[in-house]
């Protein structure tokens, strides 16, 4: 325990009375305002005061007996080395994962397995342009094998705008077209609001075979709910039916796009 065992409330009241008394004023002490104070608040204030001095984060860590410096950084609201390192590691993993996903989808495209959803046409056109670029490069330098690394370089920019929704991929290329931001009334935000995603209607959303089970489960669950509704719940039934129809439509689109097709020019 930082301060040991003692009757804090009584001592604090004595201390406050003294600071606010003529004796405290004579010494130039700032008056202590009324309001609750407890040991937890005091510990937190002390941590902040310590942490904001030169070398203070380490001093706070030692004084507050934290095991990891990241705890102190969080405690003192000072994201620093440990937190920044963790964040950069997370970002790196996220970028690698996005690149792997984009590459997998590009390979799917080459096999004739296309994306579905409102953003499918734009993504397919992008893949077609990359494919053309690779083919052109191969024709000019036929002896050079174009490996994944070369293709990844071409896909990197696209991977940077990829966000994962539970039932779709979000290609956040243009905030002004993001349906979630329009609904939230924040059209200039620099990140999508995946929690408010309506991927069946947003022009930046695509659906892929990996999302099919989520939509199938949603359709099944909605169907069960509809079956359990009483006869009088017409408004609720209409809403659930629309939801169910939408899930079936997305599944049908995914199935249609997943059926391998010969590679063809994008209209
Ligand atoms: S609605 Fe969904 S797909 Fe569209 S921008 Fe928002 S999160 Fe992305």
């Amino acid at each position: 325990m930082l301060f040991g065992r003692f009757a804090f409330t009584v001592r604090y009241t004595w201390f406050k009375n003294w600071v606010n008394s003529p004796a405290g004023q004579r010494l130039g002490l700032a008056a202590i305002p009324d309001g609750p104070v407890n040991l937890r608040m005091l510990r937190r204030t002390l941590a902040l005061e310590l942490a904001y001095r030169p070398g203070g984060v380490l001093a706070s860590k030692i004084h507050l007996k934290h095991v990891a410096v990241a705890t102190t950084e969080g405690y003192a609201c000072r994201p620093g080395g440990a937190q920044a390192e963790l964040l950069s590691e997370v970002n790196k993993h996220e970028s690698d994962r996005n690149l792997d996903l984009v590459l997998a989808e590009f390979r799917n495209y080459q096999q004739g397995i296309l994306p579905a959803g409102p953003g499918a046409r734009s993504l397919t056109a992008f893949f077609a342009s990359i494919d053309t670029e690779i083919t052109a490069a191969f024709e000019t330098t036929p002896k050079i094998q174009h490996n994944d690394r070369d293709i990844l370089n071409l896909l990197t920019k696209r991977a940077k705008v990829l966000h994962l929704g539970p039932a779709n991929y979000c290609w956040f290329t243009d905030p002004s077209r993001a349906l979630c931001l329009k609904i939230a009334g924040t059209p200039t935000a620099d990140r999508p609001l995946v929690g408010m995603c309506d991927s069946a209607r947003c022009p930046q959303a695509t659906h892929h075979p990996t999302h099919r089970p989520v939509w199938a489960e949603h359709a099944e669950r909605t169907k069960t709910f509809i079956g359990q509704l009483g006869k009088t719940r017409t408004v609720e039934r209409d809403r659930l039916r629309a939801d169910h129809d939408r899930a079936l439509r997305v599944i049908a689109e995914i199935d249609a796009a997943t059926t391998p097709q010969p590679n063809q020019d994008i209209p």
Side-chain angles (χ1 to χ4, degrees), residues 11-71:
R11 287 181 186 229
Y12 171 69
T13 308
W14 289 344
F15 177 70
K16 189 174 92 173
N17 290 344
W18 176 75
V19 170
N20 292 349
S21 72
Q25 302 298 302
R26 211 169 34 248
L27 292 172
L29 299 176
I32 299 176
D34 284 335
V37 174
N38 58 38
L39 276 179
R40 230 176 113 205
M41 294 161 76
L42 203 58
R43 181 181 160 92
R44 177 81 186 201
T45 307
L46 179 67
L48 289 171
E49 291 293 329
L50 275 173
Y52 279 77
R53 296 167 76 89
V57 173
L58 193 58
S60 312
K61 178 197 175 298
I62 295 166
H63 198 60
L64 298 173
K65 301 180 180 65
H66 287 156
V67 174
V69 75
T71 312

Side-chain angles (χ1 to χ4, degrees), residues 43-227:
R43 181 181 160 92
R44 177 81 186 201
T45 307
L46 179 67
L48 289 171
E49 291 293 329
L50 275 173
Y52 279 77
R53 296 167 76 89
V57 173
L58 193 58
S60 312
K61 178 197 175 298
I62 295 166
H63 198 60
L64 298 173
K65 301 180 180 65
H66 287 156
V67 174
V69 75
T71 312
T72 320
E73 286 169 354
Y75 201 79
C77 312
R78 275 195 64 171
Q83 286 189 21
E85 203 176 305
L86 177 66
L87 194 62
S88 78
E89 271 180 35
V90 170
N91 287 342
K92 166 90 177 61
H93 282 298
E94 210 171 70
S95 311
D96 290 349
R97 178 208 60 194
N98 282 5
L99 259 179
D100 288 347
L101 289 174
V102 178
L103 179 63
E105 287 311 324
F106 178 65
R107 292 295 186 211
N108 278 343
Y109 162 82
Q110 289 182 313
Q111 304 292 320
I113 300 170
L114 302 181
R121 177 173 284 256
S122 144
L123 185 62
T124 311
F126 169 73
F127 286 154
S129 71
I130 298 290
D131 210 23
T132 311
E133 209 168 314
I134 293 167
T135 311
F138 179 75
E139 277 165 7
T140 48
T141 52
K143 288 197 181 134
I144 296 177
Q145 284 286 320
H146 291 274
N147 58 24
D148 279 359
R149 194 64 255 163
D150 299 328
I151 299 168
L152 283 174
N153 287 341
L154 295 169
L155 297 175
T156 300
K157 204 166 156 210
R158 195 74 181 192
K160 282 188 183 148
V161 297
L162 172 61
H163 296 262
L164 304 193
N168 66 294
Y169 290 158
C170 161
W171 306 93
F172 191 67
T173 49
D174 181 359
S176 69
R177 299 176 70 218
L179 186 57
C180 56
L181 299 187
K182 277 186 195 158
I183 294 169
T186 55
T188 54
D190 60 358
R191 288 181 75 82
L193 292 166
V194 176
M196 293 179 72
C197 182
D198 185 349
S199 66
R201 292 197 299 138
C202 178
Q204 306 198 104
T206 54
H207 301 127
H208 302 259
T210 183
H211 303 121
R212 195 187 187 285
V214 184
W215 286 100
E217 192 194 326
H218 181 61
E220 202 52 48
R221 201 167 341 118
T222 316
K223 195 172 153 194
T224 310
F225 286 152
I226 293 171

Side-chain angles (χ1 to χ4, degrees), residues 224-234 236-238 240:
T224 310
F225 286 152
I226 293 171
Q228 289 170 349
L229 281 178
K231 281 191 182 137
T232 52
R233 310 274 300 275
T234 47
E236 187 75 350
R237 178 174 290 105
D238 288 349
L240 286 174

